[in-house]
């Protein structure tokens, strides 16, 4: 009985830690979709770039020597955010802006077709470019604490739960980034202008808001936040230029589970996916973990199509 309880608690612990990383990824995608209404199939590949940026900041630019192998990976992950923010800002300015905003106001469904084609093409370019630049050999950020864990003794020491230190610190950073992002969108003048542009583009233009600038910042923020999540995962999981394919489906599932357009809902959706994925390992083979995710996904869509927080929830 104690062994079964220990297995359940260990799976719950692993699911919550991994789910916090998933939640941060989903928040980045939800931000772009909720404000810009862009279906970005290249989002996973932008995350891949964030992982490689964090890796090279840590190994080639000396963060390992400056901050050590314990704190260095997390500093590199945080620094990957601003780098990919700039990359996303430029990509939106010269590419994504051609198929979003007021340019497609009269195209309705046709505008989304253009977005799909553009982002799918961008995804292929990023994957192929990553293959050329970084090669196909899996890499990860070496960390002193990725293979160490804290021991939590429960039930008088009869149950021991191991908490991976790298994932725990990464989860705390992910929660902090989400909290800061929610405060920024909800309280700052720029965040309010982004929300206004999301609610009604024409009204925002009549009020004198620079909608194109709001969209550029939104896209950059969404990419930057997801890059941080990728950088945090890079010390625990090996990755290649095609790793984005593995995570982009999880991101979309988390966004839909949480409720389209809800930042906090996307985080809770990612958290739920992490718990389901790790918890299913108690009953299913590893190869079928994602099957459990989509079974729950279909149930939620069937029973509550608006997601966990619902469409009527206030955007954050």
């Amino acid at each position: 009985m104690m062994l079964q309880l220990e297995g359940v608690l260990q799976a719950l612990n692993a699911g919550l830690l991994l789910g916090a990383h998933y939640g941060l990824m989903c928040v980045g995608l939800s931000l772009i979709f909720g404000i810009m209404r862009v279906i970005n199939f290249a989002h996973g590949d932008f995350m891949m770039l964030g992982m490689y940026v964090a890796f090279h900041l840590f190994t080639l630019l000396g963060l390992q020597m400056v901050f050590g192998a314990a704190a260095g990976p997390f500093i590199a992950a945080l620094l990957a955010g601003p780098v990919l923010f700039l990359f996303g800002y430029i990509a939106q300015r010269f590419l994504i802006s051609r198929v979003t905003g007021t340019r497609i106001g009269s195209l309705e469904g046709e505008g989304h077709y253009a977005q799909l084609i553009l982002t799918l093409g961008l995804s292929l370019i990023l994957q192929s470019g990553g293959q050329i630049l970084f090669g196909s050999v899996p890499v990860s950020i070496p960390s002193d604490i990725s293979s160490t864990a804290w021991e939590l003794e429960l039930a008088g020491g009869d149950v021991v739960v191991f908490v991976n230190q790298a994932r725990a610190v990464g989860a705390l950073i992910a929660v902090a980034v989400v909290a800061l992002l929610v405060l920024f969108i909800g309280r700052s003048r720029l965040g309010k202008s982004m929300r206004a542009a999301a609610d009604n583009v024409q009204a925002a233009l009549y009020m004198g808001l620079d909608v194109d600038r709001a969209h550029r910042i939104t896209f950059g923020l969404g990419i930057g936040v997801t890059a941080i999540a990728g950088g945090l995962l890079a010390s625990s999981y090996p990755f290649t230029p095609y790793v984005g394919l593995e995570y982009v489906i999880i991101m979309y599932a988390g966004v839909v589970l949480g409720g389209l357009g809800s930042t906090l809902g996307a985080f809770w959706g990612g958290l739920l996916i992490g718990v389901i994925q790790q918890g299913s390992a108690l009953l299913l083979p590893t190869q079928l973990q994602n099957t459990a995710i989509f079974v729950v996904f279909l149930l939620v869509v069937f029973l509550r199509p608006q997601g966990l927080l619902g469409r009527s929830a206030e955007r954050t």
Side-chain angles (χ1 to χ4, degrees):
M1 183 65 181
M2 287 299 181
L3 289 177
Q4 293 177 343
L5 177 60
E6 185 174 299
V8 171
L9 291 176
Q10 189 63 53
L12 179 62
N13 157 64
L16 289 173
L17 297 184
L18 182 60
H21 294 76
Y22 286 168
L24 187 57
M25 295 178 199
C26 295
V27 164
L29 181 60
S30 177
L31 186 66
I32 291 174
F33 182 82
I35 293 178
M36 298 177 60
R37 304 295 190 266
V38 171
I39 303 172
N40 181 18
F41 279 108
H43 204 76
D45 301 293
F46 282 113
M47 188 197 77
M48 174 270 295
L49 287 182
M51 298 173 90
Y52 275 104
V53 167
F55 174 76
H56 289 297
L57 285 174
F58 181 75
T59 57
L60 298 182
L61 297 185
L63 289 183
Q64 182 176 10
M65 298 180 62
V66 176
F67 296 101
F74 304 108
I75 303 297
L78 291 173
L79 291 178
V83 174
L84 266 293
F85 169 85
L86 181 61
F87 190 90
Y89 188 96
I90 294 173
Q92 200 284 333
R93 171 66 177 83
F94 294 102
L95 292 175
I96 307 299
S97 63
R98 308 299 178 183
V99 293
T100 59
T102 55
R103 292 174 182 268
I104 63 165
S106 61
L107 296 181
E108 297 181 353
E110 296 180 14
H112 292 299
Y113 300 150
Q115 293 173 10
L116 291 174
I117 295 171
L118 176 61
T119 56
L120 281 172
L122 187 57
S123 172
L124 293 174
I125 291 172
L126 292 177
Q127 290 172 17
S128 300
Q131 181 86 0
I132 294 171
L133 291 176
F134 308 125
S136 58
V137 178
V139 296
S140 63
I141 299 178
S143 171
D144 285 348
I145 62 175
S146 61
S147 58
T148 59
W150 291 299
E151 296 183 16
L152 299 180
E153 296 185 359
L154 306 173
D158 293 332
V159 176
V160 179
V161 177
F162 296 93
V163 181
N164 184 276
Q165 295 183 11
R167 294 185 193 176
V169 174
L172 291 175
I173 293 175
V175 171
V177 171
V178 171
L180 290 174
L181 184 64
V182 169
L183 287 174
F184 169 76
I185 296 174
R187 302 291 179 86
S188 70
R189 184 179 180 86
L190 180 56
K192 291 177 181 178
S193 70
M194 291 163 58
R195 294 168 64 191
D199 290 334
N200 192 313
V201 172
Q202 293 298 333
L205 288 171
Y206 293 150
M207 294 297 294
L209 297 178
D210 189 342
V211 173
D212 290 333
R213 176 173 175 266
H215 282 180
R216 288 195 295 270
I217 292 174
T218 297
F219 197 82
L221 275 177
I223 297 301
V225 164
T226 304
I228 293 175
L232 294 174
L233 278 176
S235 61
S236 300
Y237 298 94
F239 55 92
T240 68
Y242 293 95
V243 72
L245 294 173
E246 180 180 345
Y247 290 104
V248 71
I249 302 299
I250 291 177
M251 294 183 207
Y252 273 102
V255 169
V256 174
L257 282 175
L260 296 176
S262 172
T263 303
L264 287 178
F267 179 77
W268 288 113
L271 200 65
L272 178 61
I273 286 177
V275 172
I276 295 170
Q277 188 181 64
Q278 296 300 309
S280 64
L282 297 173
L283 302 173
L284 300 173
T286 304
Q287 298 87 339
L288 296 179
Q289 284 182 329
N290 286 344
T291 302
I293 293 173
F294 290 106
V295 168
V296 174
F297 173 80
L298 291 175
L299 287 174
V300 171
V301 169
F302 180 74
L303 298 174
R304 188 176 173 81
Q306 68 269 37
L308 295 177
L309 296 190
R311 290 180 181 275
S312 60
E314 183 181 355
R315 279 198 185 98
T316 56

